[in-house]
Amino acid sequence: MSQVAIQQITGSVPTRRRPKATLVVGAVLTGLVVLTAVVSLVWLPYPLADTSGGRLEGPGPLHPLGTDRLGRDLLSQLMAGARIALAVGTGSVALAALIGIAVGLVAAFARPWIDDTVSATLDVVIAFPVLLLAMLVVAVQGASLWSAILAVGLAMSAVVARLTRILARRVLQEQFVTAARTSGTSLLGVVFRHVLPNIAPTLAVSLALQFGGAVLAEASLSYLGLGAPPPNASWGRMLQEAQGTVLTAPVGAIAPGLAVVALVLGVNFLADGLRDLADPTRRRAR
């Protein structure tokens, strides 16, 4: 047995860990959707409003996925729908992070009665389904891409706020934070030097999981006619339009359904892999 092998067995030389399968699969699935969205910015097989194709044509050389009941190319809609899904997912998660982290930090540093009030309010908001809250916001603002981002982001911000509060209060009990406060470090210094760096890995994983929920919420809103209006393409609206012809032209429903599943699974697998990287104890357990 070679000396390197002996060292690896005894633990004196760290062994290389192969990337977790879920991390690789998640990166591939998410990367494919991102690549599709980027390509759709510069090229589409047909304009989204082009109805020159035959109604409900099957897959063929001119239309690889066929056409819908209006004669529009399904592949073009599917590619453009990736843009909407990523835009709503990224925008809503960014908004949820901005509001949720701010509220959570305020609750963690505030007096007990303020903390209790904020916590009770967050519990009430979290008790409502995300889709229901999003529908209420869209009903007030009107159906648009920005309304979908605002609705989903506000609905998810309560979950981020509660997690931030729990993590921040845990960090504030550590001795190094007490030492920093004793040495005269300002409140903002404690937040940006000690609290945020220590809670960032866990928050990043949670936000990645929230991204998948945002994609599902956007597809649900579009299915109900509350998402981005035409001519914007949306996977949820593609499903709604194809439900009446699913038996005669099943590709119209299967393609956007698989796209939603691929993106949500990809992001969830990616978050699971990131959680293992951020938590050394989980890596050792595996």
Side-chain angles (χ1 to χ4, degrees):
M1 183 179 296
S2 65
Q3 183 177 1
V4 174
I6 295 176
Q7 290 176 340
Q8 290 180 347
I9 294 175
T10 58
S12 58
V13 175
T15 59
R16 292 184 178 180
R17 292 186 177 91
R18 294 182 179 180
K20 190 181 176 184
T22 53
L23 180 61
V24 176
V25 174
V28 171
L29 291 176
T30 306
L32 288 175
V33 177
V34 173
L35 179 61
T36 301
V38 172
V39 172
S40 70
L41 293 173
V42 296
W43 176 82
L44 286 174
Y46 295 90
L48 295 178
D50 186 358
T51 58
S52 60
R55 296 179 66 253
L56 300 177
E57 285 188 1
L62 296 180
H63 303 280
L65 294 180
T67 60
D68 63 5
R69 58 185 180 182
L70 298 179
R72 296 173 298 183
D73 182 63
L74 289 177
L75 179 59
S76 300
Q77 296 186 61
L78 192 71
M79 294 175 63
R83 297 198 309 248
I84 300 296
L86 292 176
V88 173
T90 303
S92 59
V93 166
L95 182 62
L98 182 64
I99 298 175
I101 292 176
V103 173
L105 290 175
V106 169
F109 281 89
R111 297 179 181 275
W113 68 271
I114 298 178
D115 181 26
D116 293 339
T117 302
V118 173
S119 299
T121 303
L122 293 178
D123 290 339
V124 172
V125 175
I126 292 173
F128 286 89
V130 173
L131 184 59
L132 178 60
L133 291 176
M135 290 174 62
L136 292 176
V137 174
V138 172
V140 174
Q141 295 290 326
S144 67
L145 180 60
W146 165 245
S147 295
I149 294 175
L150 179 63
V152 179
L154 289 177
M156 291 184 170
S157 61
V159 177
V160 179
R162 184 173 67 173
L163 178 62
T164 301
R165 171 190 169 275
I166 294 173
L167 295 176
R169 290 183 66 86
R170 188 179 303 169
V171 173
L172 291 175
Q173 296 175 359
E174 298 292 337
Q175 294 183 354
F176 63 86
V177 176
T178 304
R181 286 178 163 179
T182 304
S183 64
T185 304
S186 64
L187 180 62
L188 291 179
V190 173
V191 171
F192 289 101
R193 295 179 187 175
H194 301 289
V195 177
L196 286 179
N198 282 281
I199 68 176
T202 304
L203 280 179
V205 174
S206 175
L207 291 174
L209 293 173
Q210 295 290 337
F211 187 98
V215 172
L216 287 176
E218 185 278 329
S220 301
L221 289 174
S222 297
Y223 183 86
L224 296 174
L226 300 176
N232 295 304
S234 172
W235 293 340
R237 191 168 65 252
M238 290 178 66
L239 287 169
Q240 191 276 333
E241 293 175 348
Q243 69 177 358
T245 58
V246 66
L247 296 179
T248 57
V251 178
I254 294 175
L258 290 178
V260 173
V261 171
L263 181 55
V264 173
L265 281 181
V267 173
N268 287 346
F269 284 162
L270 200 59
D272 183 65
L274 292 175
R275 180 168 55 235
D276 286 345
L277 293 177
D279 189 353
T281 58
R282 288 177 59 90
R283 294 202 305 266
R284 286 196 295 268
R286 293 177 185 272

